[in-house]
Amino acid sequence: MDLSSINPILLLASLMVAATPILLAAIGELVVERAGVLNLGVEGMMITGAVCGFVVAVATNSPWLGFIGAAVGGALISMIFGFLTQFLLSNQVATGLALTLFGLGLSALMGQGYIGIKAPAFPDWHIPVLGDIPIIGPIVFQHDPMVYVGLALVAAVWAFLRYSRAGLILRAVGENHEAAHALGYHVVRVRMLALMFGGACAGLGGAYLSLVRVPQWTEGMTAGAGWIALAIVVFASWRPGRLLLGAYLFGGVTVLQLNLQAAGAAIAVEYLSMAPYLATIAVLVIMRAGRAPGSLGQSFHASR
Amino acid sequence: MTMKKLLAGATLALGLATGAAADGHEPTTVGFVYVGPIGDGGWTYEHNKGRLAVEEHFGDAVETVFVESVPEGPDAERVMTQMALQGADLIFTTSFGYMDQTINVAAQFPDVKFEHATGYKRADNVSTYSARFYEGRAVQGHIAGQMTESNIIGYIASYPIPEVIRGINAAYLHAKEVNPDVEFRIIWAYTWFDPAKEAEAANVLIEQGADVILQHTDSTAPQAAAQAAGNVVTFGQASDMAEFAPFPRVSSIIDDWAPYYIARTQAVIDGTWESKDTWDGIGPGMVGIGEITDAVPADIKASAEALVERLRTGEYHAFTGPINRQDGSVWLADGEIADDGTLAGMNFYVEGLTAEIPQ
């Protein structure tokens, strides 16, 4: 075993990159769930975003337009879910699972002509001055722009939910949609907007895989990242700050176990793989903060 | 789409069977169970190319059906059962993890022939087949050992099964032969196909100093990671992965299943099919070596091609003694050649590899 070959700075830096796709998808799902909707279709929205982003980026030769395309694609497919659950009052769990299967199939179909093509390059930012700070510079300030977009989104969602009137309305709709309706808020409209945001974020997360992390289009390339994003929302007990912590924990354990293996450490991979899930359970037990929004997963119809 | 294709194939087969049974020319239905998506660019992609070759070769005489991305586990049994019920005469199950499921389903359908790739359990109606990928890995190791400047070679392994361990040993022995200072860093990904994880594994290996990456997983993500790093050599795995040539992909191991699939389908049509074990290498063409690009210096390229030729003619075996086990005990004496039984069940590293095999 040669632990000295693990560079802690590179480890921390790659942790931020590894966590970004699940962070993006999870922050969107957090908003959706705070609005009282349980959308289990994150995986389907991610993979749709991955293919939409890739197609647009290749067509325009611009990764930025690719990310915009991914957000639009994710938002569009989430509108299918929104229409079914909010207007036709279909079961949210079943519809979400169906959305995942639909997304996987649709993306495979859309991506057929794009196998083996390379995405346009999306270079890392070397932020002047800050990037040159010893130790902290390479960890925090030398990433591709989407890492910072993810962090900014978490901060924005946090501020939105905590300080804005719209955030208060969204939380009210999620806690008690009957009461929010009685106060005159448009429950379905709020939820549709939240779903659209959630879909766009999941799409960005998927495109991060196909444009930055991998970067290629291959069928099924999200490989369960959407489900981890869902788990992180629960881990975070629906709070943006803890969501960031959770995503970095999951990303960190993934990168750490790969590093330990490469260094020849004799720690069974299985233990490391289960570590984030054990941490989730421990957090839920110790912090007893895992109270879900009151109306989570329930259908709402104004006439009731 | 897959399901639609399956249903369409089955319906067509039924329709033709009822219509054509009178003159005894009903089409033979051949099913394929894939572990990954047909667009993975690696393992499943090549099996699907084999399937397409069967379709082209036999035309209307054969119908093929397939199901992709079937998890290794109980669900595979359901897929195989469904295929058998829908009239498949021959079913290829193309991943090691389908072994027990194939045996179970085959016991229920004695009239259906099964072919399991890379397994070792057979029955009267179950054949096994695999390619001697380790011959290709010996060639990769030979090139890798000479291309590395840091003397650290990274290896992305999938599951700790004999096939993968055999590959690591073959690559290591031949890298060591040309470069005594070479060191292997091995990461077990515990997946055949997860591009994000494979990319991360490749990045970790590069961060730890590897300048050559070998892989036994199915996506092209490690090639992309190597390309981004700029100075890291990779090889195509299962498929040519030529989109990354001439650099970082400097050569490849290609699985060519088409001749085997055509031969076995023909055997079912002729009624001569019987259970057997096939394990072919470079010689019969089941393992192909993709073009060694000009990124490899000419002398290394020449010696690698000479090695391919010696493996092809059978003049040289990739596991020729003296070889010790990792613990220092003697495995093969000087000049001794490994027997297929030991190779098929290989569960130990050879001397010089430092890590341990996960249990």
Side-chain angles (χ1 to χ4, degrees), chain B residues 42-64:
Chain B
W43 177 259
T44 296
Y45 176 74
E46 289 296 326
H47 281 286
N48 195 52
K49 264 170 73 178
R51 180 186 72 82
L52 294 172
V54 168
E55 280 201 333
E56 182 161 331
H57 182 85
F58 291 101
D60 292 341
V62 169
E63 290 293 332
T64 68

Short mmCIF file of all heavy atoms in Angstrom, two decimals, chain B residues 42-64:
data_model
loop_
_atom_site.label_atom_id
_atom_site.label_comp_id
_atom_site.label_asym_id
_atom_site.label_seq_id
_atom_site.Cartn_x
_atom_site.Cartn_y
_atom_site.Cartn_z
N GLY B 42 -18.60 -0.89 -26.97
CA GLY B 42 -17.63 -1.90 -26.55
C GLY B 42 -18.20 -3.30 -26.64
O GLY B 42 -18.54 -3.77 -27.72
N TRP B 43 -18.32 -3.95 -25.51
CA TRP B 43 -18.70 -5.36 -25.42
C TRP B 43 -20.02 -5.68 -26.13
O TRP B 43 -20.06 -6.51 -27.04
CB TRP B 43 -18.78 -5.73 -23.94
CG TRP B 43 -19.21 -7.12 -23.65
CD1 TRP B 43 -20.47 -7.51 -23.26
CD2 TRP B 43 -18.42 -8.31 -23.67
NE1 TRP B 43 -20.50 -8.85 -23.05
CE2 TRP B 43 -19.25 -9.39 -23.29
CE3 TRP B 43 -17.09 -8.57 -23.97
CZ2 TRP B 43 -18.80 -10.69 -23.20
CZ3 TRP B 43 -16.63 -9.88 -23.89
CH2 TRP B 43 -17.47 -10.92 -23.52
N THR B 44 -21.09 -5.03 -25.71
CA THR B 44 -22.41 -5.36 -26.27
C THR B 44 -22.50 -4.93 -27.72
O THR B 44 -23.11 -5.60 -28.55
CB THR B 44 -23.51 -4.70 -25.41
OG1 THR B 44 -23.47 -5.27 -24.11
CG2 THR B 44 -24.89 -4.91 -26.00
N TYR B 45 -21.86 -3.83 -28.04
CA TYR B 45 -21.82 -3.35 -29.42
C TYR B 45 -21.28 -4.44 -30.36
O TYR B 45 -21.82 -4.68 -31.44
CB TYR B 45 -20.93 -2.10 -29.46
CG TYR B 45 -20.70 -1.52 -30.83
CD1 TYR B 45 -21.70 -0.80 -31.47
CD2 TYR B 45 -19.46 -1.66 -31.45
CE1 TYR B 45 -21.48 -0.27 -32.73
CE2 TYR B 45 -19.23 -1.12 -32.70
CZ TYR B 45 -20.25 -0.42 -33.33
OH TYR B 45 -20.02 0.11 -34.57
N GLU B 46 -20.21 -5.12 -29.91
CA GLU B 46 -19.61 -6.16 -30.75
C GLU B 46 -20.49 -7.40 -30.84
O GLU B 46 -20.58 -8.03 -31.90
CB GLU B 46 -18.22 -6.54 -30.22
CG GLU B 46 -17.18 -5.45 -30.43
CD GLU B 46 -16.90 -5.16 -31.91
OE1 GLU B 46 -16.95 -6.10 -32.72
OE2 GLU B 46 -16.64 -4.00 -32.24
N HIS B 47 -21.15 -7.77 -29.73
CA HIS B 47 -22.07 -8.91 -29.80
C HIS B 47 -23.21 -8.60 -30.76
O HIS B 47 -23.69 -9.47 -31.49
CB HIS B 47 -22.63 -9.23 -28.41
CG HIS B 47 -21.68 -10.01 -27.56
ND1 HIS B 47 -21.42 -11.34 -27.77
CD2 HIS B 47 -20.89 -9.64 -26.52
CE1 HIS B 47 -20.53 -11.75 -26.88
NE2 HIS B 47 -20.19 -10.74 -26.12
N ASN B 48 -23.67 -7.35 -30.73
CA ASN B 48 -24.76 -6.98 -31.62
C ASN B 48 -24.31 -6.99 -33.07
O ASN B 48 -25.08 -7.32 -33.97
CB ASN B 48 -25.33 -5.62 -31.22
CG ASN B 48 -26.66 -5.37 -31.85
OD1 ASN B 48 -27.57 -6.19 -31.74
ND2 ASN B 48 -26.80 -4.25 -32.57
N LYS B 49 -23.05 -6.63 -33.29
CA LYS B 49 -22.52 -6.74 -34.66
C LYS B 49 -22.55 -8.20 -35.12
O LYS B 49 -22.85 -8.50 -36.29
CB LYS B 49 -21.09 -6.20 -34.72
CG LYS B 49 -21.03 -4.76 -35.18
CD LYS B 49 -19.66 -4.15 -35.00
CE LYS B 49 -18.62 -4.64 -35.98
NZ LYS B 49 -17.32 -3.95 -35.79
N GLY B 50 -22.26 -9.11 -34.18
CA GLY B 50 -22.34 -10.54 -34.49
C GLY B 50 -23.77 -10.94 -34.86
O GLY B 50 -24.00 -11.69 -35.80
N ARG B 51 -24.73 -10.39 -34.12
CA ARG B 51 -26.14 -10.68 -34.41
C ARG B 51 -26.53 -10.18 -35.80
O ARG B 51 -27.18 -10.89 -36.58
CB ARG B 51 -27.04 -10.00 -33.37
CG ARG B 51 -28.52 -10.25 -33.57
CD ARG B 51 -29.35 -9.44 -32.59
NE ARG B 51 -29.35 -8.01 -32.90
CZ ARG B 51 -30.14 -7.44 -33.81
NH1 ARG B 51 -31.01 -8.17 -34.50
NH2 ARG B 51 -30.07 -6.14 -34.03
N LEU B 52 -26.10 -8.97 -36.12
CA LEU B 52 -26.42 -8.40 -37.43
C LEU B 52 -25.79 -9.23 -38.54
O LEU B 52 -26.38 -9.43 -39.61
CB LEU B 52 -25.94 -6.95 -37.51
CG LEU B 52 -26.67 -5.99 -36.57
CD1 LEU B 52 -25.99 -4.62 -36.57
CD2 LEU B 52 -28.13 -5.86 -36.95
N ALA B 53 -24.60 -9.78 -38.26
CA ALA B 53 -23.93 -10.62 -39.25
C ALA B 53 -24.73 -11.90 -39.48
O ALA B 53 -24.82 -12.39 -40.62
CB ALA B 53 -22.51 -10.96 -38.77
N VAL B 54 -25.33 -12.44 -38.41
CA VAL B 54 -26.18 -13.62 -38.55
C VAL B 54 -27.37 -13.29 -39.45
O VAL B 54 -27.71 -14.04 -40.37
CB VAL B 54 -26.66 -14.11 -37.16
CG1 VAL B 54 -27.77 -15.16 -37.31
CG2 VAL B 54 -25.50 -14.68 -36.37
N GLU B 55 -27.99 -12.15 -39.20
CA GLU B 55 -29.15 -11.74 -40.00
C GLU B 55 -28.78 -11.62 -41.47
O GLU B 55 -29.49 -12.07 -42.35
CB GLU B 55 -29.70 -10.40 -39.50
CG GLU B 55 -30.57 -10.52 -38.28
CD GLU B 55 -31.48 -9.33 -38.11
OE1 GLU B 55 -31.12 -8.23 -38.57
OE2 GLU B 55 -32.56 -9.51 -37.51
N GLU B 56 -27.64 -11.02 -41.70
CA GLU B 56 -27.22 -10.80 -43.08
C GLU B 56 -26.88 -12.11 -43.77
O GLU B 56 -27.23 -12.34 -44.92
CB GLU B 56 -26.00 -9.87 -43.09
CG GLU B 56 -25.53 -9.55 -44.49
CD GLU B 56 -24.66 -8.30 -44.50
OE1 GLU B 56 -24.87 -7.43 -43.63
OE2 GLU B 56 -23.77 -8.22 -45.34
N HIS B 57 -26.23 -13.00 -43.03
CA HIS B 57 -25.77 -14.26 -43.61
C HIS B 57 -26.94 -15.17 -43.99
O HIS B 57 -26.94 -15.78 -45.06
CB HIS B 57 -24.86 -14.98 -42.61
CG HIS B 57 -24.30 -16.27 -43.12
ND1 HIS B 57 -23.16 -16.34 -43.89
CD2 HIS B 57 -24.74 -17.55 -43.00
CE1 HIS B 57 -22.92 -17.59 -44.20
NE2 HIS B 57 -23.86 -18.36 -43.67
N PHE B 58 -27.94 -15.24 -43.13
CA PHE B 58 -29.02 -16.21 -43.36
C PHE B 58 -30.25 -15.61 -44.04
O PHE B 58 -31.11 -16.34 -44.51
CB PHE B 58 -29.43 -16.86 -42.04
CG PHE B 58 -28.38 -17.77 -41.46
CD1 PHE B 58 -27.56 -17.34 -40.43
CD2 PHE B 58 -28.19 -19.04 -41.97
CE1 PHE B 58 -26.58 -18.18 -39.91
CE2 PHE B 58 -27.21 -19.89 -41.45
CZ PHE B 58 -26.41 -19.45 -40.42
N GLY B 59 -30.34 -14.28 -44.03
CA GLY B 59 -31.49 -13.65 -44.66
C GLY B 59 -32.79 -14.07 -44.00
O GLY B 59 -32.90 -14.06 -42.78
N ASP B 60 -33.77 -14.51 -44.82
CA ASP B 60 -35.09 -14.82 -44.28
C ASP B 60 -35.13 -16.14 -43.51
O ASP B 60 -36.12 -16.44 -42.86
CB ASP B 60 -36.12 -14.88 -45.42
CG ASP B 60 -36.34 -13.51 -46.03
OD1 ASP B 60 -36.00 -12.52 -45.34
OD2 ASP B 60 -36.84 -13.43 -47.16
N ALA B 61 -34.08 -16.90 -43.59
CA ALA B 61 -34.10 -18.21 -42.94
C ALA B 61 -33.97 -18.08 -41.42
O ALA B 61 -34.26 -19.02 -40.69
CB ALA B 61 -32.97 -19.09 -43.48
N VAL B 62 -33.51 -16.93 -40.96
CA VAL B 62 -33.29 -16.76 -39.53
C VAL B 62 -33.91 -15.43 -39.07
O VAL B 62 -33.79 -14.42 -39.75
CB VAL B 62 -31.78 -16.77 -39.21
CG1 VAL B 62 -31.51 -16.31 -37.79
CG2 VAL B 62 -31.21 -18.16 -39.43
N GLU B 63 -34.59 -15.50 -37.93
CA GLU B 63 -35.06 -14.28 -37.28
C GLU B 63 -34.21 -14.09 -36.02
O GLU B 63 -33.96 -15.06 -35.31
CB GLU B 63 -36.52 -14.43 -36.86
CG GLU B 63 -37.51 -14.46 -38.01
CD GLU B 63 -37.58 -13.12 -38.72
OE1 GLU B 63 -37.33 -12.10 -38.06
OE2 GLU B 63 -37.87 -13.13 -39.92
N THR B 64 -33.78 -12.87 -35.76
CA THR B 64 -33.09 -12.65 -34.49
C THR B 64 -33.91 -11.71 -33.62
O THR B 64 -34.62 -10.84 -34.13
CB THR B 64 -31.69 -12.04 -34.69
OG1 THR B 64 -31.84 -10.71 -35.17
CG2 THR B 64 -30.85 -12.87 -35.64
#
